[in-house]
Amino acid sequence: MSYGVESNIDWQTTIDEIAIEIQPLLSQGQVANYIPELSNVKDDAFGLSISLLDGQEFQVGDASTNFSVQSISKVYSLTKAFSLLKDKLWERVGKEPSGNPFNSLIQLEHENGKPRNPFINAGAIVVADCVVSNTPDSVNTIIDYVRQLAGNKKIAIDQAMFQSEKSFGHRNAALAHFMKSYGNIESDVDEVLDFYFGHCSLKMNCQDVAKSFLFLANHGVHPITGKRYLTASQAKRMNALLLTCGTYDAAGDFAFRVGMPGKSGVGGGIAAIIPGLLSVCVWSPGLDKYGNSLAGVKALELFTTKTEISIF
Ligand code: DON
């Protein structure tokens, strides 16, 4: 796919401008503290990294500082589960936006333990179960998978974050047990939660995350290694889910303002792609009321506005 205008874009100048324009917003978001370890972060940090399919990369600000990827990891586990279970996966988890907060329990009872989509916590816990139940040594497997996608062998779980998530993850434990009662969790609940908390606690920087999303901009094939992670059809479906469900009950606003399929995490990261062209990761820990990075969403809105490239 060619957008026809990208050859005229000065990517570095564009992101340098964005880094200046978002400065007033850095103090306005709220750093997540419901997992205590998440609040141990410099609250005015801002980084952005772009990876183009042709291998070029551009960075600004704190793009090489590690942060907690949190729910961005749900894209890695979903990719793994989708490639393992194929369309059988959708018998266990839906594909509709939820319109509820990411950790809500309400919908689950009405819908008999089948989560609305794979990106709310309940859905990601079912996806985690699909990986755990079908993969030996699932935690190390997913770490290696992410390292391969990002081309960085040093990516690892932040153990302090993992322990903090585990100690304060009562709502996730409730979701998992509730779904187990409906028969929608196969493996041992503690094993599934360890996998879920573990991959949420991966430490990565903007450069790693942007690179790790490139396969979604390239019909499922990593453009640098040539390895296929999803079929073209599966990559299309993943991107549709990112657009409609990737930023929770703000997905409509994100599509309206940014116009890219993307996934946020409460660590303040957002990864997004433009098919056929690029992936981008922005990080700024102050969140808006939906749990998405406040300055991060604005930075991506400025990015698609200035470059005049979005999926629409
Ligand atoms: O389940 C949790 O609370 C976290 N480990 C992940 C939450 C998250 O990032 C939701 N996203 N915005």
Side-chain angles (χ1 to χ4, degrees), residues 34-40 67-70 73 128 132 138-140 142-143 156-170 172 189-203:
Y34 74 99
I35 301 166
E37 192 65 26
L38 271 177
S39 57
N40 292 335
F67 63 91
S68 186
V69 297
Q70 293 296 316
S73 64
V132 169
S138 53
V139 175
N140 285 321
I142 202 78
I143 298 174
I157 288 174
D158 176 341
Q159 290 300 329
M161 185 68 69
F162 172 69
Q163 289 306 333
S164 194
E165 292 230 24
K166 213 168 139 103
S167 314
F168 291 85
H170 305 299
N172 287 321
V189 164
D190 289 334
E191 205 187 327
V192 174
L193 288 173
D194 277 356
F195 177 92
Y196 174 80
F197 294 137
H199 85 325
C200 282
S201 304
L202 283 167
K203 274 187 303 194

Side-chain angles (χ1 to χ4, degrees), residues 16-37:
D16 288 347
E17 282 172 17
I18 293 171
I20 294 168
E21 287 173 43
I22 54 81
Q23 287 299 318
L25 296 180
L26 295 182
S27 52
Q28 291 179 28
Q30 190 68 47
V31 174
N33 57 11
Y34 74 99
I35 301 166
E37 192 65 26

Side-chain angles (χ1 to χ4, degrees), residues 27 48 51 68 112 130 143 148 158 161 164 173 179 201 216 223 227 253 257 261 274 297:
S27 52
L48 189 150
S51 288
S68 186
N112 301 318
C130 293
I143 298 174
Q148 236 185 54
D158 176 341
M161 185 68 69
S164 194
M179 292 189 290
S201 304
L216 288 170
K227 186 172 160 57
D253 187 59
R257 290 173 56 195
I274 297 184
V297 176

Side-chain angles (χ1 to χ4, degrees), residues 24-127:
L25 296 180
L26 295 182
S27 52
Q28 291 179 28
Q30 190 68 47
V31 174
N33 57 11
Y34 74 99
I35 301 166
E37 192 65 26
L38 271 177
S39 57
N40 292 335
V41 68
K42 202 162 106 343
D43 62 0
D44 61 350
F46 176 84
L48 189 150
S49 181
I50 309 174
S51 288
L52 301 189
L53 288 191
D54 66 10
Q56 292 185 79
E57 291 182 37
F58 302 90
Q59 274 97 36
V60 67
D62 302 309
S64 349
T65 305
N66 278 338
F67 63 91
S68 186
V69 297
Q70 293 296 316
S71 286
I72 295 174
S73 64
K74 293 172 181 174
V75 176
Y76 308 131
S77 46
L78 181 60
T79 302
K80 185 78 186 158
F82 199 8
S83 65
L84 286 168
L85 271 67
K86 316 220 162 32
D87 283 338
K88 281 231 153 262
L89 180 64
W90 311 116
E91 293 170 12
R92 307 267 310 270
V93 61
K95 337 172 193 73
E96 290 293 341
S98 78
N100 279 314
F102 62 84
N103 54 5
S104 173
L105 280 140
I106 293 172
Q107 234 160 23
L108 258 190
E109 185 165 23
H110 289 299
E111 298 180 357
N112 301 318
K114 180 177 174 179
R116 267 290 170 97
N117 70 61
F119 293 141
I120 50 173
N121 285 8
I125 291 168
V126 167
V127 168

